[in-house]
Amino acid sequence: MADSRIGIVKRIIWPARASLFALIGGAVGLFGDLVNFFAEFLSADVLVIIFAVVTAVAGLLCFQRAFIVNAADDTAVEEVVQCTQCDAFRFGLFATAAFILLMLVGQGQSATEAVGRQLGLIKEDTAVIRDQVGDLHEMAQPQMIIDDPESAQDHFSNAWVYQNAQRNPAKAFAEMQTLYANYAPKKLDAAQLYFDSGNAVTGRTQLVEGMQALARKTGDATLLVIAARAAPSEAAGDAMVAEAQKIDPALPFAWWDIMRPKTVKVSDMTQRGAAAQRDRMIAEREIIEKFRTLYNAQPAQHWYFLPQYSGDMESIARQQSDGLSNNIATYDDIASGRLAQRVREEYQQKNR
């Protein structure tokens, strides 16, 4: 009798007509759907306990019928084996066992959760890497060569990279020659880059003469401003600046260029009187003020491709102008005798 009951229990756990796939696959599938539904509210451990309790209850109801059925009646036994309680017990048993196994694989989580979290981390890492790559690309973009330059800005950018990043003045000069063959950018840093790159691969005299010819051809007076800095003499530089003023009267650097200061001879300073010195300073200040007016009429990017590297020319010019104003005031005091008067008054106050 006991053997027959054990046989019924075996048939309940493993029915004769059930396949391994049907039992385990169906149970795990049903259990997995339920787990997914409750996963947001309950932990994996709690879910296993709940389903284990459900399985135990279904098992008690199933075995209760199995122990009172007539073991000799195959039809009655088959009805018990296929009853709802026994179906629930089988599914719960295999699902709980499978889920516990997957938890062991997932180290306290279901394998699905573990894999999902890992995939989530991979997704997060991929997103972080994508953002970092994007940031690196943005950082490296100013250092990248534009394969098909379509503007003066593109040619300048390429030449700047060749000159400053790749240390290849030959390519930089070739790029600048292409720029000025098709455009007249009228940017001071472009003319400077043309000179710097060309100075490394060609003779200085030939380069300066070429820049003069190019300025006349393109109408870009910035070339003459830069060429004047490298002129063989101050007189030659003055002639280039005068030509630049005629070509582009609105170019502020054609009137005042801090990089090309005028030489004042000591003999001139000693031989000329205070009034003459004052007149020279007034003329110089007027030129600087003209520069400030023209320069401030446009944003800095009007005069440079890269204004961030140009320095604050307005502040420099203002300081120069203020310094000349102070000197002019001093000469006015000398000419009027007010300086001597102030010196006498200060001396008398100290000796009282």
Side-chain angles (χ1 to χ4, degrees):
M1 185 67 176
D3 292 340
S4 62
R5 297 299 175 186
I6 294 174
I8 294 174
V9 172
K10 289 181 179 179
R11 288 179 63 181
I12 290 172
I13 296 174
W14 199 273
R17 295 195 301 271
S19 67
L20 178 65
F21 176 80
L23 281 173
I24 298 179
V28 173
L30 176 61
F31 193 77
D33 290 340
L34 294 173
V35 167
N36 288 335
F37 179 78
F38 290 106
E40 291 187 8
F41 312 103
L42 302 173
S43 67
D45 293 336
V46 174
L47 286 171
V48 169
I49 293 172
I50 291 174
F51 281 102
V53 171
V54 173
T55 302
V57 173
L60 289 174
L61 296 173
C62 175
F63 290 137
Q64 183 181 14
R65 294 192 61 186
F67 289 142
I68 64 175
V69 74
N70 184 3
D73 188 347
D74 288 340
T75 301
V77 170
E78 185 63 27
E79 288 179 357
V80 172
V81 171
Q82 300 297 333
C83 72
T84 304
Q85 294 89 337
C86 293
D87 283 342
F89 168 70
R90 275 190 297 274
F91 273 85
L93 179 63
F94 283 102
T96 303
F99 195 68
I100 290 174
L101 178 62
L102 293 176
M103 283 184 65
L104 294 175
V105 175
Q107 298 180 351
Q109 303 171 342
S110 70
T112 304
E113 284 183 288
V115 172
R117 289 181 185 277
Q118 290 177 4
L119 289 176
L121 289 174
I122 292 172
K123 183 178 179 181
E124 272 187 35
D125 291 344
T126 303
V128 171
I129 292 171
R130 182 172 61 249
D131 292 341
Q132 290 177 346
V133 170
D135 293 341
L136 290 173
H137 182 268
E138 290 182 4
M139 291 173 61
Q141 195 168 11
Q143 311 294 327
M144 295 170 63
I145 295 297
I146 300 171
D147 294 331
D148 187 20
E150 298 180 350
S151 65
Q153 174 76 62
D154 291 345
H155 285 289
F156 175 83
S157 297
N158 283 350
W160 193 93
V161 172
Y162 285 135
Q163 178 74 8
N164 298 288
Q166 299 187 8
R167 299 293 191 266
N168 191 333
K171 283 190 174 182
F173 188 53
E175 194 77 26
M176 293 305 296
Q177 287 178 309
T178 302
L179 187 160
Y180 281 100
N182 296 282
Y183 304 95
K186 299 183 179 181
K187 309 281 189 180
L188 196 68
D189 50 359
Q192 184 66 59
L193 183 56
Y194 185 97
F195 175 82
D196 291 340
S197 57
N199 194 42
V201 297
T202 188
R204 191 181 185 91
T205 301
Q206 179 183 354
L207 176 63
V208 170
E209 291 175 353
M211 293 177 71
Q212 289 179 273
L214 195 57
R216 293 163 188 152
K217 178 181 178 181
T218 62
D220 190 340
T222 59
L223 291 162
L224 288 170
V225 172
I226 300 301
R229 297 177 181 177
S233 66
E234 186 171 314
D238 291 342
M240 294 179 199
V241 168
E243 186 176 1
Q245 293 170 0
K246 292 180 180 179
I247 292 176
D248 189 356
L251 179 65
F253 305 99
W255 300 96
W256 182 75
D257 180 16
I258 188 61
M259 298 299 293
R260 185 178 171 267
K262 295 287 291 182
T263 302
V264 179
K265 297 179 181 180
V266 177
S267 59
D268 291 341
M269 295 180 63
T270 56
Q271 293 176 4
R272 298 169 65 179
Q277 292 292 340
R278 174 182 174 278
D279 293 342
R280 178 184 62 80
M281 292 181 183
I282 290 175
E284 187 174 346
R285 187 185 62 181
E286 289 176 352
I287 291 175
I288 293 176
E289 287 302 316
K290 183 170 186 175
F291 167 88
R292 293 181 65 191
T293 300
L294 294 173
Y295 186 82
N296 292 331
Q298 302 290 344
Q301 63 185 5
H302 182 82
W303 312 114
Y304 302 94
F305 278 122
L306 299 174
Q308 62 268 35
Y309 298 117
S310 65
D312 190 352
M313 298 303 300
E314 158 60 22
S315 295
I316 296 173
R318 185 177 64 253
Q319 291 171 4
Q320 293 277 334
S321 180
D322 291 344
L324 288 170
S325 295
N326 292 333
N327 291 337
I328 292 169
T330 300
Y331 275 105
D332 286 341
D333 289 345
I334 293 173
S336 63
R338 287 193 298 268
L339 180 60
Q341 179 64 30
R342 283 203 302 271
V343 171
R344 286 194 297 270
E345 290 175 354
E346 290 175 0
Y347 179 78
Q348 292 173 357
Q349 289 178 354
K350 289 180 180 180
N351 290 276
R352 285 178 179 175

